Amino acid sequence: MATIEVLGTGCAKCKRLLANAEQAVKELNVAMDVVKVDELDQIVERGVMLTPALSINGEVVSEGRVLDVKEIKRMLSE
Amino acid sequence: MQDYLQLFADYVTYTLLGIGQGTPLGSTVDFFIYDTIKVTLMLAVIVFFVGVVRTFITPRRVRKWVSGRPEGVGNVLAALLGIPTPFCTCSAVPLFIGFVESGVPLGITFSFLVASPLINEIAAAMLIGMFGWQIAAIYIVSGLVIAILAGVIIGRLHLEDQVEEFVWSCHMPERSEQAMTWRDRINFAAGESKSITRKVLPYILAGIAIGAVIHGYAPADFLLNIAGNDNPLAVPIAVLIGIPLHSNAAGMIPIIEVLTSKGMAMGTALAFMMAVIGLSLPEMVILRKVIKVRLLLIFAGILFVSFTLTGYLFNAILG
């Protein structure tokens, strides 16, 4: 099953991105896990310098921005 | 352009709203409409252009551009590149690790860390709109000088042993960034302009409204005795109060307008603003994960001294 990860150490922006990702998955009605990654070493290992970051199937697609639901849906359908 | 804006504000106030010309209420409303539109337009335009620039400058590229540069050149470059590259407080740690592990010297890393929150296009646009371009230029130039000097001093002190050990053994893999077309860049910048302007607008409205009322009704010398040019202790106290506080430029500038209109000296107000947006308690707590207490205190100490000196300098020049 495909996975979406929200990478961030837990600030307000990370929570908003997580909520938007969950909403996007719900609206698309696809079977995807939305996971929060808040361990610093894991974030660094992915090469992420700006949080919150979004990763789809292990590939970081956005850094340092709170994507809105529409943007996430577009990225998911690509 | 400004004339058309004034005509429009006059038309809305005196014709549409039917408020009498020359009355205090009339000039307050007129001023409010004129100023709000001016600052909002300026913000939208400046944020758009900086947004385009931002698509070329990511922290990942910044660390590539500054690594291998000598002291001085590297600090200047890092401080300049910090202007269009914002980061939220919680990104300070991955950003710091990313710079240091790729071999960027500590001093140059700090030049970036100081400049990035302190100077940005939102602060510039609002300062131009509310205080004029001279004050905005003074703010930007002194912010740059502080970021460059703070980095050079930290670099000279050779504090590498004050970085937590694990940082040196971190490895942050290189990530390729998606190629952007000009169309993508314009879209990104337009999106930034729209969302930032919308987010900042309430602060602008509140600031200008409070400012407009105060211009008319409150005594202008309320803060004059305690924070005017004659009290030498006002600057360090303002900076000391400002350092633990945290706010962004958008929230700060309306407050600065109120403080100065009540008699606080301009240099003191700018130093206070720098202390609030340049450094905060949450940021220090977060940075503690990667640097030891001594470096943290040196960092805060350097900023305290530089903000205070900046305040004195501008009180002397502007006063």
Side-chain angles (χ1 to χ4, degrees), chain A residues 11 45-48 51 60 63, chain B residues 60 90-91 93 172-173 175:
Chain A
C11 57
E45 247 168 54
R46 308 288 180 87
V48 168
T51 55
V60 178
E63 259 188 79
Chain B
R60 188 163 286 102
C90 44
S91 289
V93 164
M172 187 180 269
R175 265 193 347 95

Side-chain angles (χ1 to χ4, degrees), chain B residues 89 117 242-247 274-287 296 299-300 303 307:
Chain B
T89 307
I243 282 184
L245 297 179
H246 181 55
S247 170
M274 285 180 161
V276 173
I277 71 176
L279 189 63
S280 68
L281 209 53
E283 192 187 348
M284 288 172 72
V285 169
I286 282 170
L287 279 176
L296 202 57
F299 173 52
L303 289 188
F307 294 155

Side-chain angles (χ1 to χ4, degrees), chain B residues 29-115:
Chain B
V29 172
D30 193 49
F31 169 80
F32 179 78
I33 294 173
Y34 176 79
D35 241 29
T36 308
I37 298 176
K38 187 179 74 175
V39 177
T40 308
L41 281 179
M42 194 161 303
L43 188 71
V45 171
I46 294 181
V47 171
F48 175 79
F49 283 108
V50 176
V52 174
V53 173
R54 181 170 299 153
T55 63
F56 291 95
I57 306 174
T58 61
R60 188 163 286 102
R61 289 183 198 165
V62 172
R63 75 169 179 173
K64 205 182 285 167
W65 292 333
V66 299
S67 68
R69 304 269 178 190
E71 179 192 71
V73 179
N75 295 89
V76 172
L77 203 58
L80 282 173
L81 291 170
I83 297 178
T85 322
F87 65 87
C88 100
T89 307
C90 44
S91 289
V93 164
L95 205 65
F96 183 87
I97 294 176
F99 270 62
V100 171
E101 72 83 35
S102 73
V104 177
L106 202 54
I108 294 179
T109 304
F110 269 100
S111 280
F112 182 82
L113 283 183
V114 173

Side-chain angles (χ1 to χ4, degrees), chain B residues 21 40 83 95 100 110 122 131 139 165 167 208 234 245 280 293 305 308 316:
Chain B
Q21 202 153 0
T40 308
I83 297 178
L95 205 65
V100 171
F110 269 100
I122 301 173
F131 296 106
Y139 182 84
E165 279 76 22
V167 174
I208 296 174
L245 297 179
S280 68
V293 174
V305 173
T308 305

Side-chain angles (χ1 to χ4, degrees), chain A residues 9 11 13-14 16 40 43-52 59-65 75, chain B residues 59-60 63 86-88 90-91 93-95 97-99 166 170-173 175 178 188 192 289:
Chain A
T9 45
C11 57
K13 285 188 179 178
C14 311
R16 270 180 14 232
L40 184 61
I43 295 172
V44 170
E45 247 168 54
R46 308 288 180 87
V48 168
M49 278 176 92
L50 289 180
T51 55
E59 193 199 340
V60 178
V61 291
S62 154
E63 259 188 79
R65 288 186 62 214
M75 286 175 167
Chain B
R60 188 163 286 102
R63 75 169 179 173
F87 65 87
C88 100
C90 44
S91 289
V93 164
L95 205 65
I97 294 176
F99 270 62
F166 84 92
C170 273
H171 177 66
M172 187 180 269
R175 265 193 347 95
Q178 292 123 314
F188 172 81
E192 287 278 284
K289 287 186 192 165

Side-chain angles (χ1 to χ4, degrees), chain A residues 3 6-7 10 12-13 29 41 51 53 64 68 70 74 76 78:
Chain A
T3 314
V6 174
L7 299 95
K13 285 188 179 178
N29 203 13
D41 50 349
T51 55
D68 60 31
K70 218 164 68 188
R74 204 183 56 225
L76 285 175
E78 272 169 12

Side-chain angles (χ1 to χ4, degrees), chain B residues 3-264:
Chain B
D3 294 337
Y4 287 119
L5 206 53
Q6 191 59 60
L7 284 176
F8 176 77
D10 290 348
Y11 173 72
V12 172
T13 313
Y14 304 122
T15 310
L16 283 186
L17 296 174
I19 300 168
Q21 202 153 0
T23 61
L25 181 66
S27 59
T28 302
V29 172
D30 193 49
F31 169 80
F32 179 78
I33 294 173
Y34 176 79
D35 241 29
T36 308
I37 298 176
K38 187 179 74 175
V39 177
T40 308
L41 281 179
M42 194 161 303
L43 188 71
V45 171
I46 294 181
V47 171
F48 175 79
F49 283 108
V50 176
V52 174
V53 173
R54 181 170 299 153
T55 63
F56 291 95
I57 306 174
T58 61
R60 188 163 286 102
R61 289 183 198 165
V62 172
R63 75 169 179 173
K64 205 182 285 167
W65 292 333
V66 299
S67 68
R69 304 269 178 190
E71 179 192 71
V73 179
N75 295 89
V76 172
L77 203 58
L80 282 173
L81 291 170
I83 297 178
T85 322
F87 65 87
C88 100
T89 307
C90 44
S91 289
V93 164
L95 205 65
F96 183 87
I97 294 176
F99 270 62
V100 171
E101 72 83 35
S102 73
V104 177
L106 202 54
I108 294 179
T109 304
F110 269 100
S111 280
F112 182 82
L113 283 183
V114 173
S116 177
L118 193 58
I119 324 167
N120 55 61
E121 74 279 11
I122 301 173
M126 291 182 72
L127 283 175
I128 295 174
M130 290 183 166
F131 296 106
W133 66 269
Q134 295 93 333
I135 298 288
I138 281 177
Y139 182 84
I140 293 170
V141 170
S142 52
L144 275 175
V145 171
I146 291 171
I148 293 163
L149 286 183
V152 169
I153 294 172
I154 289 176
R156 287 281 171 91
L157 291 174
H158 298 291
L159 294 161
E160 281 70 18
D161 64 316
Q162 288 295 307
V163 175
E164 293 290 351
E165 279 76 22
F166 84 92
V167 174
W168 303 109
S169 54
C170 273
H171 177 66
M172 187 180 269
E174 195 52 51
R175 265 193 347 95
S176 59
E177 283 168 345
Q178 292 123 314
M180 284 182 109
T181 62
W182 269 100
R183 201 202 174 98
D184 294 337
R185 296 181 200 282
I186 301 286
N187 281 340
F188 172 81
E192 287 278 284
S193 177
K194 210 169 95 186
S195 71
I196 290 178
T197 307
R198 194 184 295 161
K199 213 163 61 187
V200 170
L201 194 60
Y203 294 105
I204 298 180
L205 292 177
I208 296 174
I210 294 168
V213 170
I214 280 175
H215 283 310
Y217 302 98
D221 56 357
F222 178 67
L223 285 171
L224 194 62
N225 290 329
I226 49 170
N229 228 342
D230 297 331
N231 181 358
L233 278 179
V235 181
I237 291 173
V239 173
L240 215 52
I241 295 172
I243 282 184
L245 297 179
H246 181 55
S247 170
N248 52 21
M252 234 8 246
I253 290 167
I255 295 172
I256 294 304
E257 169 145 65
V258 174
L259 292 175
T260 49
S261 67
K262 286 231 181 186
M264 185 185 263

